[in-house]
Amino acid sequence: MDDSWKLPPPVTLRDLVRIVRRRALLAVITFIAVVTTTLLLTSRMQPVYQATSRVLMDGPNNTAAPSNILDLITGANSRPLDAEMEKIKSRNFLTDVIHAGRLRDENAESLKGRVVLAPSGGGQILDISVRAKTAADAKKIADLLADHYIRLVGREYEDKADVSEERLRRARDEAYNEKNAAERNLNAFLSRAGMSDPSILYRDRAVTTVNVRNQLEESRRQLILQRQALADQQKQLARIPPERAESYTLVKNPVIDSYRSEITRLGVVRQKLRFDYAEDSDEVKAVDSEIRELKRAIADAEKERFSPGSRGIIRNPDYARVQSAIFDSLIAIKQTEHGIESLTKRYAELEGQQKTLTEQQNIYEGLKRKRDAANEAYEKARLGLINMRMTRVMSGPNLRVLEDARLPEQPLSPKPLLNLAMAITLGLFLGFGFALLAEYLASGSMIETPEMDFPRVGGVPLLGAVPVALPGAAAANPDGLPAPVRPTVSATDTLREIGFSLAHRGPRDPVPIILLAGTRSDDATAAVAAQIAATLVRDGVRVTLIDADRAQPRLNHVFGAPDAPGLADVLAGRHRFRDILHIGANGSLRFLSAGSPDDPTPMSDSGLRRFFREMASDRDTDLVLVSGPSVWQAPIIAPLEKAANGLVLVTPDAGRGITPAESVARARRLLTNGYKPNILGVIVNTEEGADIVGVPAQEEKIA
């Protein structure tokens, strides 16, 4: 985007040079006063000398004897250098140094503040620096501190060595007594047990118990399998017949002949009945029916002309084999049950013995551990005492003065050249600063700005007069922006001038947030906000438009967006403003609805300030326009005005007998409630070419 429309930095280097020239006398006087005061104070300062004595620690970790056996084992016999430095600066140490050196004019507190300790050489060298009024005193005290510290370390070493040796001796004697007592207790237990090493008995008996338990568990598993096999065999025996047929003989079916004989007999009876009854009588028909039934029976019997005769029956060998298997299984089950019974008794006996042996084994192992621990403690104490004596002889403190303090030739302070350089720098800074401050207090600004010849309406600058009305839906236009209701060149230019003047900001200034508020409850404010946003977006400026008229949202109808979620939801924390923005015009226009009119979320100063601060830090917009309600809705307009960067009033032309000047004056009185609102100007919504009532004709054009 082209940034040529933005204002240049408010203060340039040329402006600063002009200010310094105008206030040169004040700057020179300030500079001379600072330099003169510094030189005067430097000449009256008491000189301070510093001398340094260097002590070679030679591994200060070896200067302290171990205090106990744990120190010998872990090597925790180090002397922290920070602790040694604190010891040198202690009140008792400094008091001893003052008495030893007969420094009558010194005291411990004063000397402590003038002693500087600094380790060097990887902590192996300690620099002891002392500041004094004379060079001789500084050298003398530095040497005294080094010598007294070396003697103090020697005394501490001897004292600690004596204490440590006595502790180790007592530890050795106690460990020896404990070792002998543990040996006696162990020998007494072995005598009662009647064996030299009962651990073999404990181990063998435990192995035997485990083996018997394993055998018992295996026998129980085998018994389960045998019983399952017996049940399967019994099921199989129930399905096998004990006998089976070997051969059969076939004979002619005798039923057929008997049926034929019966038919012959019935034929004779029928002949006799015909003499007594007619052919179709019931008696004859009954005989005929029996004959037919017999003939059908003969036909069925002739299907198998032969029937089984005699057969041979023998004992089934499979049945006998399964019976033998069942008998074997019963014998095996009885044997297994007998074995389980024996193993159970054996295991119970071993378990009882094992409990007694376990208690004896625990006692035995405890006595052995005590004996071993006592022997180990005795050996450590004995070796520690030997090492202590060797350490005392061979590893005594080896501190020495590496370099005596030299007599300082130059004082540490004051330093005239350094003070003079600092005075010159401070004088230039203060002189320049006082010049800028004087210029600001005299003119209210650090740069000269020409007077802007804006006409005023009701005491407020007139930004412009535009004939606009609330447009229709923006979706009906090709670019998605609301079209001007009264498209004229002068109205478009005026909207462009107003928009660019509101969007002006410095290179590092945040995005301006401008609140538009009407002097009447009509569509003028929403119309002006929509037309300014549309004009700027068409010119390449990125605009964020916010509808803050909670009572009667209007802009959402223009941009075809719902009234919720919106500003009320952002203030309530239900949504982030970036998630509910309606973006159009290829990302150059972003719109945020007001929210539901029934939403009870209050518009507080703190919530609006946080929201506007987040909007001002957004890099995707160049101007934030907030379309608010009329100034008569004070509970809503007051927090919006306090949170925004400035307020622009929107008033219609003369109507209802009230001029724009009167409307602006009433709005200012309403907004001025304990503080002065930042009113940037007023926009008059008028008909094209009409004069603004109350404003001279020569002042209608924006300068």
Side-chain angles (χ1 to χ4, degrees):
M1 175 188 167
D2 185 13
D3 292 340
S4 59
W5 58 273
K6 294 183 179 179
L7 287 177
V11 180
T12 63
L13 181 61
R14 181 176 299 178
D15 297 326
L16 296 178
V17 172
R18 291 175 180 174
I19 293 172
V20 173
R21 286 181 180 178
R22 286 195 298 271
R23 306 292 178 177
L25 180 60
L26 177 60
V28 171
I29 292 175
T30 303
F31 175 78
I32 294 174
V34 172
V35 174
T36 303
T37 302
T38 303
L39 294 177
L40 181 61
L41 294 176
T42 301
S43 63
R44 294 186 178 183
M45 291 178 63
Q46 177 70 35
V48 177
Y49 294 87
Q50 178 173 309
T52 302
S53 178
R54 312 191 75 186
V55 176
L56 178 63
M57 308 298 287
D58 194 16
N61 296 340
N62 298 327
T63 60
S67 59
N68 49 43
I69 185 64
L70 185 61
D71 293 344
L72 287 171
I73 297 171
T74 62
N77 58 345
S78 62
R79 180 190 299 271
L81 190 56
D82 292 339
E84 296 302 306
M85 294 168 61
E86 290 295 329
K87 185 186 300 181
I88 295 174
K89 300 191 71 173
S90 65
R91 184 182 295 104
N92 294 335
F93 180 82
L94 295 177
T95 302
D96 294 342
V97 171
I98 291 173
H99 290 322
R102 297 179 181 179
L103 305 175
R104 300 178 180 178
D105 298 334
E106 295 289 348
N107 59 75
E109 293 298 332
S110 175
L111 183 58
K112 180 179 180 180
R114 294 186 281 112
V115 175
V116 179
L117 304 175
S120 61
Q124 300 297 316
I125 299 175
L126 180 62
D127 294 336
I128 303 177
S129 302
V130 179
R131 298 175 183 177
K133 296 180 181 179
T134 63
D137 290 343
K139 180 181 183 307
K140 178 181 178 181
I141 297 174
D143 291 336
L144 282 173
L145 289 173
D147 295 338
H148 194 72
Y149 173 66
I150 293 174
R151 290 195 296 271
L152 176 64
V153 171
R155 291 196 303 269
E156 288 182 346
Y157 178 81
E158 293 297 330
D159 295 340
K160 288 185 177 181
D162 293 339
V163 173
S164 298
E165 187 173 352
E166 180 62 26
R167 290 179 179 176
L168 290 173
R169 188 179 295 108
R170 289 198 301 268
R172 183 199 61 184
D173 296 340
E174 292 177 1
Y176 180 76
N177 295 332
E178 291 179 359
K179 179 178 76 68
N180 292 335
E183 288 286 352
R184 289 193 299 270
N185 294 333
L186 182 60
N187 293 332
F189 177 83
L190 294 176
S191 298
R192 291 192 300 270
M195 58 187 72
S196 60
D197 189 6
S199 59
I200 298 176
L201 173 63
Y202 301 146
R203 183 175 61 254
D204 293 343
R205 188 58 57 83
V207 171
T208 302
T209 303
V210 172
N211 291 335
V212 171
R213 183 182 62 189
N214 293 338
Q215 292 176 6
L216 180 59
E217 292 176 354
E218 181 63 27
S219 298
R220 289 172 178 172
R221 287 194 294 269
Q222 185 177 0
L223 179 61
I224 294 173
L225 295 176
Q226 290 174 348
R227 289 176 175 174
Q228 183 64 37
L230 177 62
D232 295 340
Q233 291 169 356
Q234 290 175 346
K235 291 179 181 179
Q236 183 179 6
L237 184 64
R239 293 193 297 269
I240 298 176
E243 298 174 348
R244 67 180 182 181
E246 288 292 325
S247 60
Y248 293 88
T249 58
L250 297 177
V251 296
K252 187 176 180 179
N253 195 339
V255 177
I256 299 175
D257 293 337
S258 64
Y259 287 165
R260 288 177 177 173
S261 298
E262 183 68 16
I263 291 173
T264 302
R265 186 186 66 81
L266 292 174
V268 175
V269 173
R270 185 177 185 281
Q271 290 294 332
K272 292 179 178 181
L273 291 174
R274 289 182 60 188
F275 291 106
D276 298 329
Y277 300 99
E279 185 71 22
D280 57 349
S281 63
D282 294 335
E283 288 77 1
V284 175
K285 290 181 179 179
V287 173
D288 292 339
S289 176
E290 291 181 6
I291 293 173
R292 286 193 299 271
E293 291 292 335
L294 289 174
K295 288 181 179 180
R296 283 197 295 270
I298 291 172
D300 293 337
E302 286 181 349
K303 294 179 181 179
E304 293 183 4
R305 299 182 62 83
F306 298 95
S307 61
S310 62
R311 59 179 180 179
I313 304 299
I314 64 172
R315 185 175 177 82
N316 194 342
D318 294 333
Y319 185 84
R321 179 177 55 78
V322 174
Q323 272 189 335
S324 299
I326 291 174
F327 180 75
D328 294 338
S329 297
L330 290 174
I331 294 175
I333 288 174
K334 290 182 179 180
Q335 292 176 349
T336 304
E337 289 176 347
H338 180 71
I340 290 175
E341 184 179 357
S342 300
L343 289 174
T344 302
K345 292 180 180 180
R346 176 62 176 164
Y347 180 69
E349 294 174 357
L350 291 175
E351 277 289 318
Q353 296 175 4
Q354 188 64 31
K355 291 181 180 179
T356 304
L357 293 177
T358 301
E359 295 176 357
Q360 296 178 0
Q361 183 180 6
N362 293 335
I363 296 173
Y364 173 69
E365 291 179 353
L367 293 174
K368 281 186 62 177
R369 286 195 298 270
K370 289 183 179 180
R371 183 198 63 180
D372 296 340
N375 288 333
E376 184 179 1
Y378 173 73
E379 288 298 324
K380 287 183 178 180
R382 187 177 63 83
L383 294 176
L385 185 59
I386 296 174
N387 293 334
M388 178 68 244
R389 292 170 180 171
M390 295 177 61
T391 301
R392 186 168 185 175
V393 174
M394 301 178 60
S395 300
N398 193 21
L399 274 72
R400 63 182 183 275
V401 177
L402 180 63
E403 182 179 341
D404 292 329
R406 292 183 297 178
L407 194 67
E409 299 178 357
Q410 298 292 335
L412 182 65
S413 66
K415 296 181 179 180
L417 294 180
L418 179 60
N419 291 347
L420 179 60
M422 294 176 61
I424 293 174
T425 303
L426 181 61
L428 291 174
F429 178 77
L430 292 179
F432 188 73
F434 283 151
L436 294 180
L437 180 60
E439 184 72 14
Y440 179 78
L441 294 177
S443 61
S445 176
M446 290 190 297
I447 58 174
E448 293 182 355
T449 56
E451 291 295 333
M452 304 299 292
D453 189 19
F454 281 100
R456 307 184 76 83
V457 176
V460 177
L462 176 63
L463 300 181
V466 288
V468 297
L470 191 65
N477 299 318
D479 55 359
L481 299 175
V485 176
R486 303 180 181 91
T488 62
V489 176
S490 60
T492 303
D493 291 342
T494 302
L495 289 171
R496 183 178 292 110
E497 289 176 4
I498 295 173
F500 274 77
S501 64
L502 296 178
H504 278 169
R505 60 188 174 105
R508 297 183 180 180
D509 292 342
V511 176
I513 299 176
I514 308 301
L515 172 64
L516 302 179
T519 60
R520 296 181 185 175
S521 300
D522 53 13
D523 297 340
T525 304
V528 171
Q531 294 299 341
I532 291 177
T535 303
L536 292 179
V537 168
R538 290 190 179 96
D539 290 341
V541 181
R542 298 170 301 178
V543 180
T544 298
L545 185 59
I546 301 174
D547 190 356
D549 192 353
R550 295 276 300 279
Q552 190 174 358
R554 295 177 174 85
L555 290 177
N556 58 297
H557 301 294
V558 175
F559 293 95
D563 58 355
L567 176 60
D569 301 272
V570 175
L571 296 178
R574 293 188 291 268
H575 293 280
R576 295 173 52 190
F577 82 92
R578 289 186 178 87
D579 298 336
I580 58 176
L581 282 175
H582 302 280
I583 301 176
N586 296 324
S588 296
L589 177 64
R590 303 191 304 172
F591 171 71
L592 179 64
S593 302
S596 175
D598 299 329
D599 195 326
T601 302
M603 301 182 70
S604 61
D605 297 353
S606 58
L608 287 170
R609 285 195 179 95
R610 285 193 301 270
F611 170 64
F612 285 168
R613 192 181 306 115
E614 188 177 3
M615 294 290 294
S617 62
D618 195 352
R619 297 182 178 179
D620 296 330
T621 187
D622 300 313
L623 175 64
V624 178
L625 282 179
V626 182
S627 177
S630 67
V631 295
W632 309 112
Q633 298 186 25
I636 300 178
I637 204 66
L640 287 170
E641 190 278 329
K642 294 178 182 178
N645 298 129
L647 170 66
V648 175
L649 296 174
V650 178
T651 181
D653 198 2
R656 302 179 184 175
I658 302 176
T659 63
E662 293 175 344
S663 298
V664 171
R666 293 181 179 181
R668 292 181 62 186
R669 285 195 301 270
L670 182 63
L671 293 173
T672 305
N673 185 14
Y675 71 99
K676 182 179 180 181
N678 183 21
I679 301 178
L680 303 179
V682 60
I683 300 174
V684 178
N685 185 12
T686 182
E687 294 295 333
E688 182 70 20
D691 295 332
I692 302 174
V693 179
V695 179
Q698 65 272 16
E699 296 182 355
E700 289 183 10
K701 185 178 180 181
I702 300 177

